[in-house]
Amino acid sequence: MSPEVVAEDNVFLRIVNERRLLEPTEVERLLKSESNNGNSFDATLLEEGIYTRDEILKTLENYFFYPSLDLNKIKPDPSALLLVPDRMARRYQAFPIKKENGVLEIAMASPDNNRAIEDLKLASECRLNIHVAPQSDVVDSIESWYGTLAKELKPKTKDQQKKSLFGDVFISGAKPLLPELMEEEHGATELSAKIFQKAADLNVTDIHIEPGRGRLTVRYRIDGILQVACVFPESMTPTLISRIKIVSGMDIAERRVPQDGRTSIEHPIKGLVDCRVSSLPSTWGEKIVVRLLTKDDSLLNLNNLHMPAELHEKWRQVVGLPLGMILVTGPTGSGKTTTLYASIAELDRGSTNIITLEDPVEYEMDGITQVQIHSKAGLTFQSGLRSILRQDPDTVLVGEIRDHETAEIACRAALTGHKMFSTLHTNDAASAVTRLVDMGVEPYLLTAALKAVLAQRLIRVLCPHCKQTKPTTKTDQARLEAPDLKEFQVANGCRKCSGTGFHGRQAVYELLLVEESVHDLIINRGSSREITRIGMKEGMTCLRESAKKLVLEGVTSLSEVERVGLLKRE
């Protein structure tokens, strides 16, 4: 635990040594005397009669340049005590006295602790009027005045405390991933840093910080599934939320409307991790969601995408085409952006002009021009794409095709000598074709521009440390179309996978090459089912078959394929 965060053990001893107010031999004698007996040094000086209380107060004023306060003559306002949790008051040796006009008057033993002052501001949501007071007086006042109040506010036993905090959060029987964060005392600054660092350690994609009745819940999305990381008392809500909003460049005074912000953390292994932060007002306070994005573009490589060898070679050929539109489809969170960036990384960035138009820019890559959408300023996908085409691009990546105008501009760009990458939210490759026609793109334009559509899903991979073998039933064999299959792998759960039975994710793909047979269907406005049938006839492996193959290979489980919707549950 960093010493700059916690309160100093013996404030006045530091002052005496720095200012040489007493001889070293006298200091050593006082520290060994019975009067010391674990007390703060100022209490020892008072008991020995070496300093009066007024002399100690004056010395503190001259050292810290804050007005001093004799807490023995002060009666605090109970409502002020409620603004600073007792654990924080003890941790920082800070005693709240009263609040007036948004300003909290507070006495501190170490008013030069900037981290403490920042956390106290966040906790109380007030400006601070700071006084300095003898350490012994601050500690005694906290023990005396918080004692009765703390008993009323806290559950009497640890079991009661857990029950009041957790409520029905763990109704499924799941245990928190980070119980150690709930056992230790942390200020908002330290706690937010640990939540972010632990998320990076565990390969978390999203952090959910959710206020609720009587508690603040932190959940991590790991391999696409949300898991409870830790739970805190409701009193931590304003402090922690405000701290995250501050570091993300958001307005902490505005709590009525959603906001967006960004920050980053330094990770010892992953390097700089970009954090995209959004807030949303809710019944119990603002909910914060943080998307974590690793900026290391060395991971963006087609060889890391686990494509089957035959499909991998076909996709490389598609990416190497000199012009045309290439689409990647799938629902949100299916890895479309990662695939597109890995594909762009295959191109020669030295001899070609590559420009991307994104909302937001998720990965930073050298050698390409990346443009961030800013709708309020008038920079939309449509206007941005028109401007990009005046920048002499060879390859263009449009983050998403959302409307007719963007789709038509993209198609015409693909016809005029540009290579155009983009994404659509469709369930399979063939549906991308019919979606563009439904958007109003003329079929003759689409047949000339579109070269290929890659659909994908992310499926969790079984944990290699704990996966188990299970005999198949006739139903299992029928669903997997493998009548001779005697057994397959299922999830179990261990410490290495946090009890989930899965560790990491892998994509499954289907690649539709838009060739002459598909052109005829597009011109005749054929259905997605007809396009899929033609594609499979020409060698396309559909998502469902790709997923079943992973089950047969023991990479994933049948239940996981059902979860992502590639097989209907029986």
Side-chain angles (χ1 to χ4, degrees):
M1 193 174 293
S2 174
E4 68 173 338
V5 178
V6 298
E8 193 173 335
D9 287 338
N10 234 319
V11 178
F12 209 79
L13 177 61
R14 187 230 306 183
I15 298 172
V16 167
N17 286 333
E18 285 185 15
R19 297 288 175 88
R20 300 182 182 277
L21 301 179
L22 293 174
E23 292 296 327
T25 53
E26 180 68 358
V27 172
E28 188 176 352
R29 183 191 69 79
L30 290 169
L31 290 174
K32 292 179 180 179
S33 69
E34 290 185 8
S35 302
N36 186 49
N37 195 28
N39 293 328
S40 58
F41 195 65
D42 58 85
T44 303
L45 292 173
L46 283 173
E47 192 164 332
E48 292 276 338
I50 297 174
Y51 271 68
T52 65
R53 186 174 298 278
D54 288 341
E55 288 172 332
I56 288 177
L57 291 171
K58 192 65 177 175
T59 302
L60 290 170
E61 275 190 8
N62 293 335
Y63 184 83
F64 288 112
F65 298 102
Y66 281 101
S68 61
L69 199 62
D70 187 352
L71 292 179
N72 292 318
K73 301 176 181 178
I74 297 294
K75 181 178 179 181
D77 183 347
S79 63
L81 300 180
L82 294 172
L83 296 175
V84 178
D86 58 341
R87 291 196 307 172
M88 184 176 287
R90 290 185 173 89
R91 182 177 180 79
Y92 294 139
Q93 293 180 356
F95 184 66
I97 298 164
K98 63 179 179 180
K99 176 186 174 183
E100 286 184 356
N101 301 321
V103 178
L104 178 64
E105 190 172 341
I106 194 165
M108 299 182 67
S110 302
D112 57 346
N113 188 335
N114 294 327
R115 183 73 64 83
I117 291 172
E118 186 178 355
D119 279 349
L120 290 165
K121 285 179 180 178
L122 290 172
S124 62
E125 297 185 305
C126 296
R127 300 191 303 277
L128 300 185
N129 179 16
I130 299 173
H131 298 268
V132 64
Q135 188 171 15
S136 56
D137 289 359
V138 174
V139 172
D140 289 346
S141 296
I142 290 171
E143 294 302 323
S144 174
W145 290 100
Y146 270 99
T148 304
L149 187 64
K151 289 178 183 178
E152 294 175 359
L153 295 178
K154 285 187 175 181
K156 294 181 180 179
T157 67
K158 286 187 176 181
D159 288 341
Q160 288 174 319
Q161 187 178 23
K162 287 181 180 179
K163 185 177 180 181
S164 66
L165 286 182
F166 299 169
D168 59 352
V169 171
F170 305 125
I171 197 166
S172 64
K175 293 181 179 179
L177 296 174
L178 306 174
E180 66 274 13
L181 289 189
M182 300 186 292
E183 300 295 333
E184 301 172 4
E185 294 183 2
H186 300 285
T189 303
E190 186 181 7
L191 182 60
S192 62
K194 287 198 172 189
I195 289 172
F196 277 58
Q197 286 290 340
K198 291 286 187 182
D201 291 342
L202 296 171
N203 296 318
V204 170
T205 56
D206 301 88
I207 306 171
H208 290 239
I209 301 170
E210 304 166 324
R213 185 194 295 272
R215 63 179 176 264
L216 177 68
T217 306
V218 178
R219 295 197 289 170
Y220 287 166
R221 187 177 293 280
I222 303 175
D223 296 337
I225 303 296
L226 280 172
Q227 300 179 54
V228 174
C230 41
V231 184
F232 302 103
E234 186 180 12
S235 59
M236 285 296 299
T237 299
T239 314
L240 188 59
I241 299 297
S242 295
R243 175 61 190 170
I244 293 172
K245 289 175 71 175
I246 285 173
V247 299
S248 305
M250 298 158 74
D251 183 359
I252 62 171
E254 180 57 75
R255 303 189 186 99
R256 299 166 298 176
V257 297
Q259 295 186 62
D260 294 304
R262 296 188 86 130
T263 185
S264 61
I265 58 174
E266 189 70 41
H267 191 266
I269 298 175
K270 299 180 179 179
L272 196 63
V273 178
D274 190 38
C275 303
R276 207 171 71 216
V277 186
S278 67
S279 70
L280 181 70
S282 71
T283 305
W284 301 104
E286 289 178 283
K287 175 176 177 176
I288 298 286
V289 174
V290 184
R291 169 67 57 87
L292 276 67
L293 299 165
T294 304
K295 290 189 174 183
D296 183 6
D297 65 353
S298 65
L299 301 174
L300 300 175
N301 188 303
L302 283 182
N303 295 325
N304 297 331
L305 299 184
H306 302 289
M307 286 183 174
E310 186 179 352
L311 185 142
H312 185 274
E313 184 56 35
K314 286 182 180 179
W315 182 246
R316 278 188 181 276
Q317 292 173 8
V318 167
V319 171
L321 292 172
L323 52 84
M325 179 187 285
I326 302 164
L327 297 178
V328 180
T329 75
T332 300
S334 59
K336 300 186 297 296
T337 303
T338 301
T339 298
L340 282 177
Y341 270 96
S343 302
I344 283 180
E346 294 289 304
L347 305 177
D348 183 356
R349 287 176 266 174
S351 62
T352 56
N353 180 20
I354 304 173
I355 305 178
T356 73
L357 187 62
E358 305 168 70
D359 185 21
V361 174
E362 294 196 7
Y363 297 100
E364 294 180 0
M365 293 181 70
D366 293 330
I368 66 176
T369 303
Q370 296 173 276
V371 180
Q372 167 75 54
I373 290 297
H374 199 311
S375 299
K376 291 182 180 178
L379 180 55
T380 62
F381 280 114
Q382 302 99 306
S383 62
L385 186 51
R386 288 196 193 93
S387 299
I388 283 175
L389 295 177
R390 293 193 288 271
Q391 291 282 311
D392 185 31
D394 298 296
T395 300
V396 178
L397 186 156
V398 178
E400 183 184 349
I401 294 178
R402 298 177 178 174
D403 52 53
H404 164 72
E405 190 174 358
T406 306
E408 185 148 331
I409 296 171
C411 284
R412 294 189 182 279
L415 288 175
T416 54
H418 303 93
K419 189 184 315 187
M420 179 69 59
F421 290 94
S422 192
T423 71
L424 273 176
H425 286 101
T426 61
N427 291 329
D428 56 30
S431 296
V433 176
T434 54
R435 175 70 56 81
L436 289 170
V437 172
D438 290 343
M439 280 184 180
V441 178
E442 292 295 333
Y444 73 88
L445 195 62
L446 193 56
T447 56
L450 188 61
K451 301 301 180 185
V453 184
L454 181 73
Q456 65 181 70
R457 290 285 197 290
L458 286 177
I459 292 181
R460 291 186 296 168
V461 174
L462 287 167
C463 174
H465 302 284
C466 64
K467 62 181 180 180
Q468 292 183 337
T469 302
K470 177 186 174 183
T472 56
T473 64
K474 288 185 177 181
T475 303
D476 297 330
Q477 293 170 348
R479 302 188 70 202
L480 293 170
E481 297 178 1
D484 298 327
L485 185 66
K486 303 300 180 185
E487 57 187 25
F488 59 5
Q489 301 291 326
V490 295
N492 183 30
C494 65
R495 289 183 62 185
K496 290 185 179 290
C497 61
S498 302
T500 63
F502 297 90
H503 185 71
R505 289 188 291 178
Q506 182 173 324
V508 292
Y509 305 94
E510 67 177 27
L511 176 60
L512 174 67
L513 301 177
V514 183
E515 297 176 332
E516 290 297 328
S517 55
V518 178
H519 288 173
D520 295 339
L521 281 174
I522 296 174
I523 292 294
N524 295 318
R525 298 180 182 267
S527 67
S528 59
R529 184 173 295 179
E530 291 173 314
I531 295 173
T532 298
R533 189 175 67 250
I534 290 294
M536 293 180 69
K537 187 177 179 180
E538 296 184 350
M540 180 182 80
T541 302
C542 70
L543 287 170
R544 184 168 175 267
E545 294 303 318
S546 299
K548 287 197 296 186
K549 185 178 179 182
L550 290 185
V551 176
L552 296 175
E553 292 173 352
V555 175
T556 191
S557 68
L558 182 58
S559 62
E560 175 64 8
V561 174
E562 291 174 339
R563 186 189 69 82
V564 297
L566 295 179
L567 276 178
K568 292 183 179 180
R569 296 180 186 274
E570 289 291 322

